[in-house]
């Protein structure tokens, strides 16, 4: 393709998924010299950017791409893409508090809410978010008197983490790319 009379090569679209381990930050370079998700990837992926973030203590599904439109479709609230997490709490969950999470808790002047919550055991829950406020899940549970001991993102839209080992990555298939934002 030519732009202003110069030959410009369009970048080939690349999208991968990474099972981000706890202890890695979702940034390209960290001022505190912590390990970043890019330390887990080959150099050829240095031009990718992460679609959404996972805090340093959270593990799970992270999408990295060089496609801005894809990132916008996954992260912008108007597209209502589900993100599913499994949470392990420090003490048994009180089911009478579920409505508070569904109605929402004020964080930074914004109503943070979950879309659904399902208990798995007394201390393990599955929940779905459609918004992404900084450290939202941890802060919502802290507001209710709980500490999150373990948090993992299992799904974005229809894209699942599956059995991808911690610290490993793989390219998305065409079908997976198409399914990320479909309902």
């Amino acid at each position: 393709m030519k732009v202003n009379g110069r030959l410009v090569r369009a970048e080939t679209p690349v999208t991968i998924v990474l099972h981000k381990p706890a202890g890695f930050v979702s940034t390209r370079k960290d001022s505190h010299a912590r390990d970043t998700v890019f330390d887990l990837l080959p150099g050829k992926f240095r031009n990718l950017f992460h679609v959404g973030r996972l805090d340093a203590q959270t593990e799970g599904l992270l999408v990295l791409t060089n496609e801005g439109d894809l990132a916008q479709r996954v992260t912008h609230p108007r597209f209502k893409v589900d993100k599913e997490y499994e949470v392990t709490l420090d003490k048994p969950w009180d089911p009478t508090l579920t409505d508070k999470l569904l109605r929402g808790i004020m964080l930074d002047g914004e109503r943070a809410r979950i879309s659904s919550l399902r208990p798995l055991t007394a201390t393990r829950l599955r929940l779905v978010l459609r918004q992404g406020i900084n450290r939202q899940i941890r802060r919502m549970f802290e507001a209710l008197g709980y500490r999150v001991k373990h948090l993992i993102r299992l799904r974005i839209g229809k894209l699942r983490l599956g059995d991808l080992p911690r610290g490993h990555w793989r390219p998305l298939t065409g079908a997976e790319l198409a399914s990320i934002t479909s309902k």
Side-chain angles (χ1 to χ4, degrees), residues 117-180:
L117 183 141
R118 178 172 52 98
L120 300 173
T121 68
T123 58
R124 278 185 33 238
L125 313 169
R126 282 269 170 94
L127 62 89
V128 174
L129 292 181
R130 287 192 177 150
Q131 63 186 151
I133 299 170
N134 186 25
R135 300 186 75 244
Q136 177 175 348
I137 294 171
R138 292 178 191 281
R139 292 170 60 203
M140 289 178 77
F141 280 101
E142 284 170 10
L144 297 176
Y146 289 84
R147 186 175 62 80
V148 172
K149 291 173 51 177
H150 185 249
L151 181 59
I152 181 170
R153 180 161 53 201
L154 302 171
R155 179 176 62 83
I156 298 172
K158 293 182 180 177
L159 180 63
R160 295 189 175 280
L161 179 61
D163 59 2
L164 186 64
R166 279 184 195 91
H168 287 75
W169 63 273
R170 66 174 178 79
L172 259 64
T173 66
E176 286 173 324
L177 273 170
S179 77
I180 288 178

Side-chain angles (χ1 to χ4, degrees), residues 15-21 24-28 35-41 48-56 58-65 70 74-75 83-85 152-156 159-162 164-165 167-172 180:
T15 303
I16 64 170
V17 292
L18 170 71
H19 184 158
K20 179 197 158 308
F24 286 77
V25 291
S26 297
T27 189
R28 191 169 307 284
D35 293 324
T36 76
V37 294
F38 290 94
D39 294 329
L40 300 167
L41 302 172
L48 300 182
F49 54 92
H50 46 83
V51 179
R53 292 179 178 263
L54 291 173
D55 66 41
T58 301
E59 72 170 271
L61 182 62
L62 188 63
V63 176
L64 296 105
T65 189
L70 172 68
V74 171
T75 58
K83 286 121 186 136
E84 183 178 11
Y85 298 81
I152 181 170
R153 180 161 53 201
L154 302 171
R155 179 176 62 83
I156 298 172
L159 180 63
R160 295 189 175 280
L161 179 61
L164 186 64
H168 287 75
W169 63 273
R170 66 174 178 79
L172 259 64
I180 288 178

Side-chain angles (χ1 to χ4, degrees), residues 103-117:
R103 282 193 315 270
I105 294 172
M106 294 303 287
L107 298 176
D108 302 331
E110 192 174 350
R111 185 166 300 280
R113 62 176 55 121
I114 62 167
S115 298
S116 67
L117 183 141

